[in-house]
Amino acid sequence: MKKFHLLSLLSVLIYSGVHAQVIARFTVKAGKLNRYNSVIYTSVPASAGIPVTLEEVTGNKRIPVAVTERAGQLCWILKGNTAAGTERKYELRKGVSATDTVMTARRANGHVLLAQAGQPVLQYNFETVHAPAGADTVYNRNAFIHPLWAPNGVVLTNIFPNAGHRHHMGIWNPWTHTLFEGRETDFWNVQKKEGKVRFAGRLETFSGNVWCGFSASQDHIALLKDGTEKTAIHETWLVQAYPATNNGARRLWDFTSSFSPATPTGITLLQYRYGGGFGLRTTADFTDKTSQVLTSEGKTRRDADSTRARWVKISGATPKGNAGMLIMNYPDNFDSPEPLRVWPENAEGGELMFNYTPTRMKPWQLYPDARYQLKYRVMVFNNDITAEEAEAAWQDYAYPPEVVVMP
């Protein structure tokens, strides 16, 4: 009898001890959409700085789930298919996760490399990369992403592509036509020597089970006629990359640009056909004969320029295989769905420059002491994806599952 009571008491104590470790319970609701490998974010301030583990609760089963916690914000992947109208339940507990850190951000040799288990995802260059021999040193540049890799290793970006467009730098986003302190200033076409974008010295990197990334400060610098410089815009990039899905064939990463004027007079981003937003110079292997462009509105490279799109898919063939990217703009972005700049098919041997251009249709006044933001999600993929898959990915980005914190 005593042994029975002792075992019973021990069981109660173990049960109570385990459940005392629960920090929060969540219900994730799919809502009206079918979900597939959705990225989930929620805030749990009580967990800040505490090692945590996450479990999915299915009946009597508890399945460990990889989770990344930073500053009280949790992130995990709603793995697999989750049908519209259904729910999934999770418990967050104190404890060290048994899952290895597979998403890493490593800083070395003037760049940050994001990788998954050693496989490169993208590279941010914070130290100056010099233009090709013989080119004007005005093209020397930092604060850009290159290379961007597809999961199969295909490099999707290009820098210093040719003599006419040495200023094209992988993924970058200078504003082109601006009014700064009474002077029209171009931060994109650096050969005009009116302005440029420069890494501003602050860099943080993050590694984890669910995402890796970096935060980097950048400045839009005006080059004044007297030979001096003046900072016009302070900007911060936040880039977050997630694990590959679809048997390693697809990967999502998020790009957020937050910015504010650097002077009391502010700055006007004038209406112009390209600049700011999300600028991309694709690999030279993507030409009018080897690649395709498709937008959410059914436009192609032939007629996409100056139209609006929720998403743009660029895919094509390279000597190392077929690959591409889906670039999605967030509904809250300025003048969203954002207008596009897509080079015509006869540009530079058919090569491609693409730009989400928030100010293509109208100017944007930036006021001092105010902060502005533009957000994009990118899917890189092997081979190709369908228009239906692209639309589903954008819907999931724009209208994520609802996370309810349970008592």
Side-chain angles (χ1 to χ4, degrees):
M1 180 66 71
K2 290 182 179 179
K3 184 176 181 181
F4 173 78
H5 283 302
L6 183 61
L7 289 174
S8 298
L9 179 60
L10 184 60
S11 298
V12 169
L13 289 173
I14 292 172
Y15 181 84
S16 300
V18 169
H19 281 263
Q21 301 299 309
V22 174
I23 298 172
R25 295 179 174 87
F26 309 104
T27 296
V28 180
K29 299 183 177 182
K32 297 180 179 180
L33 302 175
N34 292 320
R35 308 289 180 171
Y36 182 62
N37 291 324
S38 298
V39 179
I40 303 296
Y41 278 98
T42 190
S43 296
V44 184
S47 72
I50 301 173
V52 294
T53 63
L54 187 69
E55 295 175 331
E56 182 170 6
V57 181
T58 306
N60 293 324
K61 295 181 179 179
R62 282 177 165 77
I63 304 168
V65 176
V67 63
T68 293
E69 187 272 343
R70 176 175 174 260
Q73 189 176 51
L74 301 175
C75 177
W76 72 92
I77 305 299
L78 194 68
K79 281 194 174 181
N81 292 294
T82 306
T86 63
E87 300 178 350
R88 293 168 70 171
K89 298 184 182 298
Y90 296 84
E91 287 185 350
L92 185 73
R93 301 174 181 275
K94 295 179 182 179
V96 179
S97 174
T99 308
D100 292 334
T101 299
V102 295
M103 303 300 297
T104 58
R106 300 190 186 282
R107 175 175 174 167
N109 303 318
H111 64 257
V112 174
L113 178 66
L114 305 189
Q116 178 180 356
Q119 181 186 42
V121 176
L122 61 83
Q123 178 175 298
Y124 174 75
N125 302 278
F126 60 87
E127 288 190 2
T128 298
V129 177
H130 294 279
D136 192 326
T137 57
V138 72
Y139 294 111
N140 295 350
R141 176 67 202 268
N142 58 29
F144 63 93
I145 291 171
H146 173 78
L148 168 67
W149 288 271
N152 61 5
V154 168
V155 173
L156 296 167
T157 51
N158 193 12
I159 61 173
F160 304 126
N162 47 52
H165 289 88
R166 293 266 188 234
H167 55 291
H168 286 191
M169 299 299 293
I171 294 171
W172 83 124
N173 64 340
W175 296 100
T176 305
H177 191 44
T178 75
L179 186 62
F180 177 61
E181 297 190 341
R183 178 189 177 202
E184 290 188 6
T185 304
D186 185 339
F187 300 94
W188 177 297
N189 295 286
V190 294
Q191 69 275 15
K192 294 165 65 175
K193 301 184 179 180
E194 295 178 1
K196 68 187 313 178
V197 175
R198 186 179 298 148
F199 173 64
R202 185 186 62 78
L203 179 68
E204 295 181 78
T205 59
F206 318 101
S207 299
N209 300 328
V210 180
W211 66 267
C212 62
F214 66 87
S215 174
S217 62
Q218 305 183 163
D219 286 337
H220 274 63
I221 306 292
L223 307 178
L224 307 183
K225 290 184 177 180
D226 63 2
T228 63
E229 300 180 350
K230 193 167 190 178
T231 301
I233 299 173
H234 294 305
E235 180 184 28
T236 299
W237 277 13
L238 176 63
V239 172
Q240 299 160 281
Y242 307 100
T245 62
N246 297 75
N247 295 317
R250 299 179 189 177
R251 174 180 286 109
L252 294 174
W253 59 278
D254 287 340
F255 173 88
T256 302
S257 167
S258 302
F259 50 97
S260 59
T263 68
T265 56
I267 186 170
T268 304
L269 309 178
L270 299 170
Q271 182 273 327
Y272 197 64
R273 70 180 185 273
Y274 64 89
F278 185 100
L280 166 71
R281 182 64 186 248
T282 66
T283 171
D285 292 322
F286 282 5
T287 70
D288 58 322
K289 296 179 177 60
T290 62
S291 66
Q292 304 79 40
V293 173
L294 179 68
T295 79
S296 58
E297 311 311 303
K299 304 296 184 181
T300 66
R301 183 167 179 183
R302 186 165 298 176
D303 57 1
D305 187 58
S306 198
T307 66
R308 295 177 182 271
R310 301 184 304 279
W311 52 262
V312 176
K313 180 171 73 78
I314 300 171
S315 57
T318 77
K320 293 185 177 181
N322 295 349
M325 68 189 86
L326 174 71
I327 308 147
M328 301 168 262
N329 84 84
Y330 195 66
D332 289 348
N333 286 357
F334 181 77
D335 204 26
S336 185
E338 289 179 41
L340 310 177
R341 172 58 175 159
V342 181
W343 263 7
E345 294 172 302
N346 61 357
E348 296 190 357
E351 290 188 28
L352 178 61
M353 189 280 287
F354 162 81
N355 186 206
Y356 266 123
T357 312
T359 54
R360 175 143 198 171
M361 304 300 186
K362 61 181 182 181
W364 190 2
Q365 179 65 49
L366 305 186
Y367 295 96
D369 301 319
R371 193 143 184 88
Y372 304 86
Q373 189 173 83
L374 292 169
K375 297 172 63 177
Y376 306 88
R377 174 167 286 176
V378 180
M379 177 193 290
V380 290
F381 51 82
N382 300 342
N383 300 314
D384 205 351
I385 63 173
T386 66
E388 291 75 19
E389 288 172 321
E391 178 65 19
W394 182 86
Q395 291 284 342
D396 189 58
Y397 175 48
Y399 308 106
E402 179 186 4
V403 181
V404 179
V405 181
M406 307 301 292

